[in-house]
Amino acid sequence: MLAAGAVGTMQNRSERDTFADMYASRLARLWAVERGLVFGRLDHVEEGRLYIGKLGLSDDDQRRLLIDWRAPVAQPFYRATPAAPMGVTRRRHLQTKGRAVVGVDDDLLDLDSLSDADRATLNGEAALLAALDERRTGRMRDIVATIQAEQDRVIRSDLNGVLVVQGGPGTGKTVVALHRAAYLLYTHRERLERRGVLILGPNLTFLRYIEQVLPSLGETDVLLSTVGELYPGVTATARERPEVAAVKGDLRMAEVIAKAVRDRQKVPRKPIELAVGRITLTIDRSMLEAARNKATRTRRPHNQARAVFVRSLLNALARQQARKIGKGLIDEEELADLREELRTEPVVKSALNRLWPYLTPQRLLLGLYGSAERLGYAASALTPEERALLRRDGGEWTESDVPLLDEAADLLGEIDEQVLRATALQAEEELAAARQAEEHQREAELAYAREVLELTGLSDVMEAERLAERQRGEGPYLTTAERAAADRTWAYGHVIVDEAQELSPMAWRSVMRRCPTRSMTIVGDIAQTGSAAGARSWSSVLDVYVAGRWRQERLTVNYRTPVELMAVAARVLATIDPALEAPTSVRELGVEPWAAPLPALPELAKAEVGEGGKVAVVVPDALVESLGAEVAATVAGTVVVTPGAGRARGAEALDAPVAVMGVADAKGLEFDSVIVAEPDLIAAQSPRGPSDLYVALTRATQRLGVVHERPLSQALQGLPSRSPAPANGL
């Protein structure tokens, strides 16, 4: 349908676009959910037998064949217990491969209600534990068939307000947040589909790890991003030293950026003389202050206010020129002519650009970082040591820079490209007239689009702006997520922030700009805060924006980390804060964590690959390349993820038999086996190092080892030793 292009009447195009959009979205969802489409059955006293799946389906006679897992009638599949069966006698979990059923597990909720025939068909190992024991694939899977009651409560929580999901490692915070996104889109589709849902993750590898979950649940139009990608046109993957990140993330940087903008509007102390033809014009302090005051009183961003400043100054110069050439009083038409003549004078243009320059956020920040004088003025609230940390000449953008770019963009505003392209012969009035005519044309197109959508009853399905753009034949067809990613000012219907404890105060300002309604899900664990600029408590983060208007849910059960591994991590957790409690693990494997000498790392990694599943070697940032090279020389296919590696490298790591990485890149991920190298160096590499070590020790679902040359801390002492050639295949 779309291949036909923009042909026919406006009504024909509107109908084509609407049907194409609807069918494309439906087809994408059906293809995405085919794997594991049906996963459960409820035997209900009143509703009868209900099959539960990823989407709702009906036959030609509108009889229900499959119930969407998000529908209210499916809630007992996750909430019912023998003590409160919710009308359910039996809950059946179906395990499928392709389109064949390969396993059946039953939960009995009311044995007395079962018939003899039903009793004869009972099956089962618990579906949850079976899923937990499966080997990792390098991609997160949906848990729609095994959602537990405490997780379901979070998933179905109300859309409005800020929900904080606090949970330790392995409690399923991330996958619960993703299922919550799917649930909210199903329940509030009209409200959220137009504005979209943004999911922020800690790094690019993590985004690749989770990218298949929502499509597998039938949701294909959610934007996944990191803080380093929030500013369109910039993908910042480089990381700062912890002390630099702490300064750039500090809330004081908002005033630093504001002062850096004001610094570009400063009035010189000495008059400026301009030789224009045979006369000399003077820009004195009073003229500059008057022009600047007019511009700042508009409360427009810097780049938009520049037009007011320029016009005021040109008017003053034009009147001064008229007096000097003996014209005396002049009318508006003559003033406009003189003003335009002055505008085209190179010496005048140069002065105007110095006094109030057009600025991009990138230019502003680089100018600030590269000048000790500008830093001295704008960053006067910082200490000399902190200003020295900001000083740099050029270099690539870091994740800590992106919130500052966003802050600058908010203060500077967009640059008017038409003004920049305007020729010397175009007067300001002519340019304004051209803009006005174009605006009238666009308003007419928009009014027609609104009328069409109202008449067809599709005003809640498609935006009038989008329809008008399509009628003009401009640009390619873009999804909501694609349009949102390209628009810095886009306001999302709901925002989900994973590993939220890592965000700096400046990053939170960027996030809050993107969700004016404050409909958000904040997911994290304060005990795992590794960033020097990260959160110390949820109240310190949120009370600035939504004091008294946020609520918290806790996840307390660890589904990932076995009891034996969690016991070691819990000892490290106690060194962070004795008051913190580790989540309760649901399973024991009988496999104890071990310790070994660092030189044995390559052979031990090779042995772990032989055990099956995905293996991660988590190392101090300073040793990623050297230890990664050693492992890669022994284990074919090893991928080394250096700090700041892009999304492609992270994807390779997820698919590799062994991935060597730092803690920041391991956040949110899980592996069958994890080897932690030099844990004391991990704990010492940043002010929040013990939290990083806690993260590293809780990434494994099956096996955990520690290799070291330095003495182990007390929390890790006593681990049984392991040799490079372990006995009994261990």
Side-chain angles (χ1 to χ4, degrees):
M1 296 177 75
L2 292 176
V7 296
T9 66
M10 294 183 105
Q11 182 174 349
N12 293 149
R13 299 178 195 177
S14 173
E15 292 173 353
R16 177 208 64 179
D17 290 348
T18 301
F19 282 112
D21 193 25
M22 180 179 67
Y23 291 137
S25 297
R26 183 64 174 170
L27 186 60
R29 287 176 185 162
L30 290 173
W31 277 115
V33 302
E34 185 177 15
R35 181 181 178 274
L37 175 61
V38 186
F39 55 79
R41 191 186 87 189
L42 285 177
D43 295 351
H44 200 282
V45 173
E46 296 179 359
E47 300 285 347
R49 184 163 289 175
L50 302 175
Y51 283 91
I52 312 299
K54 293 181 177 178
L55 285 181
L57 296 174
S58 302
D59 63 14
D60 291 339
D61 297 323
Q62 298 304 305
R63 289 177 298 187
R64 294 185 302 186
L65 300 177
L66 190 61
I67 304 297
D68 193 301
W69 68 276
R70 297 164 287 192
V73 72
Q75 193 167 337
F77 189 79
Y78 305 107
R79 297 279 186 94
T81 65
M86 302 175 71
V88 177
T89 59
R90 171 169 54 180
R91 172 173 48 217
R92 169 163 286 183
H93 301 271
L94 303 174
Q95 300 167 36
T96 60
K97 186 174 183 180
R99 299 191 177 188
V101 176
V102 296
V104 175
D105 298 318
D106 285 332
D107 297 329
L108 300 182
L109 303 178
D110 189 351
L111 186 60
D112 294 337
S113 299
L114 294 180
S115 66
D116 290 340
D118 288 333
R119 293 168 188 265
T121 63
L122 293 178
N123 282 276
E125 180 186 1
L128 173 63
L129 293 179
L132 294 177
D133 284 333
E134 289 183 357
R135 288 178 176 172
R136 305 301 99 176
T137 64
R139 298 292 185 278
M140 178 176 279
R141 295 165 293 188
D142 66 71
I143 60 165
V144 67
T146 58
I147 293 171
Q148 302 302 292
E150 72 169 4
Q151 297 173 329
D152 187 69
R153 183 179 67 251
V154 172
I155 290 169
R156 297 176 192 269
S157 184
D158 188 61
L159 169 68
N160 296 319
V162 176
L163 172 66
V164 174
V165 184
Q166 164 68 36
T171 54
K173 300 183 298 297
T174 296
V175 74
V176 165
L178 295 172
H179 284 69
R180 174 163 168 75
Y183 171 78
L184 293 176
L185 283 164
Y186 170 84
T187 309
H188 305 279
R189 191 166 298 281
E190 290 186 1
R191 176 174 170 181
L192 294 180
E193 196 165 45
R194 290 179 58 191
R195 302 313 308 170
V197 174
L198 169 66
I199 296 179
L200 282 176
N203 55 60
L204 297 173
T205 305
F206 175 85
L207 296 186
R208 185 61 186 269
Y209 177 60
I210 68 172
E211 67 182 1
Q212 295 177 359
V213 175
L214 281 167
S216 76
L217 297 172
E219 302 299 341
T220 57
D221 197 18
V222 174
L223 179 63
L224 304 180
S225 178
T226 65
V227 170
E229 296 176 297
L230 276 184
Y231 189 85
V234 173
T235 299
T237 57
R239 297 198 182 108
E240 303 278 13
R241 289 176 291 139
E243 59 272 24
V244 180
V247 174
K248 289 185 176 180
D250 193 290
L251 208 55
R252 292 175 296 167
M253 287 300 297
E255 179 57 25
V256 171
I257 300 301
K259 288 187 71 174
V261 173
R262 293 197 296 271
D263 185 38
R264 298 305 186 95
Q265 304 165 358
K266 287 175 67 175
V267 174
R269 295 178 181 176
K270 296 181 179 180
I272 300 173
E273 294 188 345
L274 306 174
V276 179
R278 296 180 178 180
I279 65 173
T280 299
L281 301 178
T282 302
I283 302 177
D284 60 29
R285 189 175 184 84
S286 62
M287 291 168 57
L288 285 170
E289 288 182 345
R292 186 183 65 176
N293 290 340
K294 285 182 181 179
T296 55
R297 280 200 299 268
T298 66
R299 297 187 180 278
R300 297 177 187 172
H302 172 90
N303 289 326
Q304 276 75 60
R306 182 182 188 274
V308 177
F309 175 84
V310 168
R311 186 182 182 91
S312 176
L313 205 55
L314 286 175
N315 281 338
L317 287 172
R319 291 190 180 96
Q320 184 182 137
Q321 183 182 33
R323 290 194 301 271
K324 291 198 172 189
I325 61 178
K327 282 196 171 185
L329 294 175
I330 57 176
D331 58 25
E332 284 299 318
E333 184 175 348
E334 290 176 308
L335 179 65
D337 290 341
L338 287 175
R339 187 174 62 230
E340 190 53 39
E341 288 177 9
L342 288 171
R343 185 196 300 275
T344 62
E345 287 286 342
V347 66
V348 176
K349 288 196 296 184
S350 176
L352 292 174
N353 287 333
R354 290 197 312 273
L355 293 168
W356 196 297
Y358 270 122
L359 290 171
T360 64
Q362 291 92 326
R363 182 180 171 190
L364 179 76
L365 274 192
L366 288 176
L368 178 65
Y369 293 158
S371 169
E373 182 181 353
R374 285 181 177 148
L375 275 173
Y377 168 75
S380 58
L382 305 183
T383 67
E385 293 75 19
E386 289 172 326
R387 291 197 292 271
L389 291 173
L390 294 178
R391 183 78 170 82
R392 85 172 195 226
D393 294 311
E396 58 183 322
W397 296 113
T398 68
E399 293 179 357
S400 302
D401 287 323
V402 170
L404 305 185
L405 289 170
D406 195 63
E407 187 78 20
D410 211 47
L411 297 173
L412 294 174
E414 298 296 325
I415 292 180
D416 191 333
E417 296 293 340
Q418 285 183 294
V419 170
L420 293 181
R421 293 194 300 266
T423 67
L425 297 177
Q426 281 184 296
E428 186 176 86
E429 290 78 9
E430 293 173 345
L431 191 58
R435 286 187 193 143
Q436 190 174 24
E438 183 179 349
E439 185 63 27
H440 285 327
Q441 174 66 22
R442 288 184 178 272
E443 284 294 330
E445 294 171 348
L446 190 58
Y448 177 82
R450 290 195 183 105
E451 183 180 351
V452 169
L453 293 175
E454 288 293 335
L455 290 173
T456 57
L458 297 173
S459 56
D460 292 333
V461 177
M462 176 177 275
E463 294 175 340
E465 292 84 353
R466 179 177 171 189
L467 177 59
E469 182 180 287
R470 296 282 289 281
Q471 303 301 340
R472 290 191 294 269
E474 296 177 2
Y477 172 80
L478 297 176
T479 65
T480 298
E482 289 168 332
R483 287 183 292 129
D487 185 352
R488 191 194 67 82
T489 62
W490 190 275
Y492 292 89
H494 192 77
V495 172
I496 294 174
V497 186
D498 202 351
E499 300 291 347
Q501 74 278 355
E502 301 300 326
L503 268 62
S504 70
M506 288 302 298
W508 279 112
R509 285 174 66 89
S510 295
V511 172
M512 292 296 175
R513 284 192 194 100
R514 285 155 177 80
C515 193
T517 62
R518 302 296 191 257
S519 175
M520 306 175 74
T521 302
I522 308 301
V523 180
D525 179 16
I526 294 298
Q528 295 186 63
T529 303
S531 170
R536 296 187 181 276
S537 70
W538 294 123
S539 59
S540 67
V541 168
L542 297 174
D543 285 349
V544 178
Y545 305 99
V546 286
R549 292 183 289 125
W550 60 277
R551 61 196 188 277
Q552 179 171 300
E553 293 279 2
R554 288 184 174 272
L555 298 177
T556 60
V557 180
N558 187 335
Y559 301 101
R560 176 205 301 147
T561 316
V563 169
E564 298 86 352
L565 279 58
M566 200 62 214
V568 176
R571 296 200 295 269
V572 173
L573 179 63
T575 67
I576 301 170
D577 184 347
L580 295 173
E581 294 185 13
T584 304
S585 297
V586 299
R587 61 198 177 113
E588 295 183 40
L589 294 183
V591 179
E592 293 293 333
W594 47 264
L598 181 63
L601 174 59
E603 291 300 327
L604 289 169
K606 184 176 181 180
E608 286 298 316
V609 172
E611 292 287 336
K614 300 293 182 181
V615 179
V617 180
V618 183
V619 306
D621 290 345
L623 300 180
V624 169
E625 293 187 8
S626 59
L627 292 182
E630 292 180 20
V631 175
T634 301
V635 184
T638 295
V639 169
V640 181
V641 183
T642 56
R647 190 178 301 210
R649 194 61 174 168
E652 292 177 16
L654 294 174
D655 297 329
V658 177
V660 181
M661 60 181 64
V663 178
D665 287 300
K667 275 189 179 291
L669 308 182
E670 61 182 23
F671 303 87
D672 296 276
S673 175
V674 171
I675 302 175
V676 179
E678 292 292 13
D680 68 312
L681 287 181
I682 291 176
Q685 70 183 4
S686 76
R688 302 283 186 86
S691 294
D692 283 342
L693 180 56
Y694 180 59
V695 170
L697 294 170
T698 54
R699 299 304 94 199
T701 65
Q702 305 286 336
R703 304 179 300 279
L704 173 67
V706 172
V707 293
H708 64 102
E709 282 185 331
R710 295 168 176 255
L712 293 176
S713 65
Q714 186 175 357
L716 296 179
Q717 289 177 4
L719 294 177
S721 298
R722 174 173 171 178
S723 65
N728 301 322
L730 293 177

